[in-house]
Structure formats: structure tokens, C-alpha cells
Amino acid sequence: MTWLNNIASKASLAFALFSAFATANPITPIRKRELTFDYSNNKVRGVNLGGWFVLEPWITPSLFNEWANGGGVVDEWTLSQALGRDEAHSRLDNHWRTFITRDDFFEIARAGLNHVRIPIGYWAITPLDGEPYVQGQISYLDQAIGWARDAGLKMMIDLHGAPGSQNAADNSGHAGSNTWGTGNTIQQTLNAIRALSERYTNQEDVVTAIELINEPRPPIQLDGDNGLKLFDYNGWGTVRDSNEGTVVVISDAFKGTTFWNGFMGPGSGVWDVMLDTHQYQVFSTPLLQLSADGHVQAACGYGRDNLRGLDKWTVVAEWSGAATDCAKWINGLGKGASYDGTLGGTPYVGECTGKYSGKVADMLESDKGNLITFIEAQMDAYEIATGWFFWTWKTEGAPEWDFQDLLHNGIIPQPLTSRRHPNQCNL
């Protein structure tokens, strides 16, 4: 192991470890600092603070309503572009200041949750010349760390938007095309990871995990010099340059959990790596057509088939109570739903009554009952592995997705381990 100690930085070490991985040479990891949350013996029960630092029109439609009938605004990039820098900063600063507050963190803790996952875009920490995004988010993230500490919560910081867009979705900040992995975008992403890691190097009591990239999709490659696997190793090394006691989270890139067994696991020479997978049952016709019991069984089956026998910590870092895609603009600003046929090109499944926009209290009683069984089943299934983060804590009226509203209306079990429908998954 002498040669490892002579490498100048952990980023260089990561490249060496990736080379060893490629040639299947096992390396014994070196751990220098213990984590402040025991991911091996305790379950993650968390919630995302979606829509705070990376806008999504369906979470906060009030910020996008003036373009509801067109105008080209569909995401944070185009909103900032349309408003201009000064007006965009004014509106977004008000949003950052008011959408999530200290009170939210304490309510999250009182609900029995132990983690928050906070999405943020590269432009908040390492903005690129010529882009329309505005800055100021990072001071609110600094403040949020203090709130989390006071409330006794741990935090995963999630790089949700990467240069060039890693998935062409509005939740990356810039919808339309996916050019991450071309040009200088990978190095720019590593620069953002380095800046976040260095900024929070002494905050490991709260910031227990940093996620390298959220939901990368094809045409992103897995292998090669511009591939996701090498990026993951380099991202791990970049975090390790300044943080020995922070978990590095990698995405399953929609390949599934078992696909990643053997990668960055035991014998790879890296340590404290977590896999992130997302589970939604609303973005394909076969899933939308499931009965209420079918959704429960699909969640249980996913846990049994995909969350056992894994070689690294694994969290379902996004899931919700939704069994439909009825929420206003969930498929993009101005777009309808597949469930009721208003999206176009998909078969009608059912009505979106009470699910398009509104509050949990106004939903049909049968839908409330289905939410209870579905949410409890998912909690059980996802705790087969390391745990979960619900998406999302707060919306402006998407009842199937709004943890706070679900909590206030008795849908979320309290305590979180209690069950009105026990043993649904027969675990």
C-alpha cells in the first residue's frame, strides 16, 4: 500500500483505483474518519426539499403561471432568461427565503424523519459565463445546514443539475437536450463537486453525504474516458480530497441496483459509497394501469427483487405516494396527464379528480385510503436496503407528492414505523 500513500491527492487515487477496478485487482481501503450516521445499522428515513434551489414548474407553479399558455418558459434556465438577471434574482431570492424555512426543518424532525436531501444546481456554486442562471442559493444552503443541526437532522447534498444537462429534464435546470459528457462538462461538474465538498468540509456532523449527479440518462456513456463510471471514481476522489467522513452517493443511472454490484464495492479500494435509485410508478402506461393492490405488490416486489444482496448502501432517494401522473405539469409545463388521456398518445386510464391540483383533504376518501396502503408498503419495501427519501416535502398543490400535506391529513404513519396495514410485503 506504500504507493497509495505517495499519491498527491484522493482524486489521483481515485483514477488509480478505477484502473485497478478495470483490471480486477482488489485493493484494501484506507478509512481515516468515522461517519456521524451509522448507515449499516440505522435506516434512512428522509424527505427531499425539491423545488427549493432547483425549480420545477409542477412543484411551484406560481413562479411559472404567466407562461402557462406559452412563451417558451419551461424551466429555471428559460425563466431566468425571460425575466432578466435583476428580476430573476428578485423573484428567486424571495422564493429561496420563503419556500423552506427553519420551521420546516423542525417539523420534519418532529415527524420522525432523520435526513433531508437537498437538490442544488452547479450554477449555485460554480456558475458558467454566459448562462442566464442567477446566484444566491448557497447562502440559504449554508443557513439550512445550521437549521438541520439545530433540529438533529442529517443532510445529503444532491447535485441535481449538471452542466449541459444530464437528462434533458426540467429538473436538471435546462430541459431539451442532454449534452453532459461532451466538451468540458465533466470537468465543470467535478469543479462544482469540489466547491461543495470544500465549502462543507467541517460540516460532516450534518452533511453526511454528497451525491455526485442526479438521474443521468442516455446518451450518457457508462464506460470510456467520458463515461459515468470514471466520473464516479473521479467524483469520489474529489470529495475525498477534502472530506474523509462524508458518504459519496452515485446514481444507478436507471440501470437498476444489481447492475452496480461489484462497482465501487468491497475490494475496490474506495469506501463509504452509497447507491441512489428512484422508484416511481407513474411514468409508463403499464404502471398507471395497475390497481391499488397492484401498486402495493409492485412496490413489495421491487424491494424483494432489487434491494437484497447488494454490496453497498442503497437508498431509494426518490419515491412518492402518487399512483397517477395527474399532478399539474408533472410531465412538463403546460402538458397534461397520461392517466386521463390529456397528454396525448396514451390510453385513458381514469379521472384526475382531486389529484390535478389541490389539497389532500379534498381528495376522495377511497384515494386517501389507497395512499395509506401504498405509502406504508413502500416504506416497508425500501427499508429492506438502507432506507428512503420521499419526493417531496412541500408543493403548491400536488397532493399525492406533498409529504407535509399528507402528514397533516393523517396519511403518513406516526410514528413512521407504525402500520395500519402491517405485513403487506410479507417480509
Side-chain angles (χ1 to χ4, degrees), residues 1 47 96 101 106 114 119 144 155 250 323 330 363-364 409 420:
M1 298 301 293
V47 68
W96 301 328
T101 69
F106 280 85
N114 53 32
M155 182 183 296
I250 62 173
I330 190 71
M363 295 180 70
L364 298 173
N409 284 276
R420 281 159 287 190

Side-chain angles (χ1 to χ4, degrees), residues 362-414:
D362 298 324
M363 295 180 70
L364 298 173
E365 290 302 316
S366 58
D367 288 333
K368 294 178 189 177
N370 291 337
L371 277 167
I372 291 170
T373 57
F374 189 32
I375 286 172
E376 289 185 358
Q378 289 184 91
M379 288 179 171
D380 288 344
Y382 304 153
E383 289 191 15
I384 292 174
T386 309
W388 47 264
F389 291 84
F390 187 97
W391 187 279
T392 185
W393 169 245
K394 178 186 291 186
T395 73
E396 291 179 346
E400 295 179 293
W401 300 79
D402 192 314
F403 192 99
Q404 185 183 50
D405 195 18
L406 292 163
L407 179 69
H408 290 174
N409 284 276
I411 306 298
I412 302 296
Q414 291 289 282

Side-chain angles (χ1 to χ4, degrees), residues 145-146 149 199-208 243 246:
I145 291 172
R149 180 177 291 112
R199 188 178 188 91
Y200 300 121
T201 188
N202 295 316
Q203 310 282 355
E204 293 166 330
D205 62 314
V206 174
V207 182
T208 55
N243 279 279
T246 301

Side-chain angles (χ1 to χ4, degrees), residues 64-260:
F64 293 85
N65 275 336
E66 61 194 274
W67 298 281
N69 297 316
V73 171
V74 296
D75 52 29
E76 187 164 340
W77 175 290
T78 50
L79 180 139
S80 302
Q81 203 169 44
L83 292 175
R85 186 164 293 276
D86 290 345
E87 181 63 18
H89 186 272
S90 175
R91 295 192 192 188
L92 292 188
D93 186 73
N94 180 67
H95 167 71
W96 301 328
R97 179 172 49 84
T98 60
F99 185 60
I100 299 291
T101 69
R102 178 184 176 89
D103 289 345
D104 288 293
F105 280 78
F106 280 85
E107 185 175 2
I108 288 167
R110 287 196 301 272
L113 299 162
N114 53 32
H115 278 69
V116 290
R117 179 174 179 255
I118 300 188
I120 198 160
Y122 70 92
W123 57 90
I125 188 77
T126 52
L128 300 176
D129 292 341
E131 295 190 343
Y133 295 119
V134 296
Q135 286 70 53
Q137 307 92 322
I138 207 72
S139 63
Y140 290 100
L141 179 57
D142 292 345
Q143 188 176 54
I145 291 172
W147 294 340
R149 180 177 291 112
D150 292 344
L153 295 169
K154 304 302 183 183
M155 182 183 296
M156 177 188 294
I157 298 176
D158 153 42
L159 194 70
H160 215 72
S165 179
Q166 72 278 16
N167 54 30
D170 59 12
N171 61 54
S172 72
H174 194 184
S177 62
N178 172 357
T179 62
W180 188 86
T182 64
N184 200 36
T185 54
I186 291 179
Q187 185 56 54
Q188 291 165 343
T189 306
L190 293 171
N191 293 344
I193 292 166
R194 182 174 299 282
L196 286 169
S197 184
E198 290 178 350
R199 188 178 188 91
Y200 300 121
T201 188
N202 295 316
Q203 310 282 355
E204 293 166 330
D205 62 314
V206 174
V207 182
T208 55
I210 294 176
E211 183 160 4
L212 302 179
I213 193 168
N214 178 71
E215 292 189 346
R217 287 183 178 272
I220 290 172
Q221 302 173 3
L222 292 181
D223 301 303
D225 291 344
N226 294 318
L228 186 63
K229 290 180 179 179
L230 180 57
F231 166 77
D232 285 341
Y233 267 93
N234 284 334
W236 178 90
T238 299
V239 173
R240 287 287 169 264
D241 278 345
S242 53
N243 279 279
E244 295 287 351
T246 301
V247 173
V248 176
V249 185
I250 62 173
S251 171
D252 76 345
F254 301 98
K255 293 292 184 181
T257 54
T258 57
F259 176 88
W260 297 96

Side-chain angles (χ1 to χ4, degrees), residues 19 27 50 70 72 75 98 112 144 166-167 201 271 314 326 331 363 426:
S19 299
I27 298 174
D75 52 29
T98 60
Q166 72 278 16
N167 54 30
T201 188
W271 59 92
T314 300
C326 288
N331 292 307
M363 295 180 70
N426 296 314

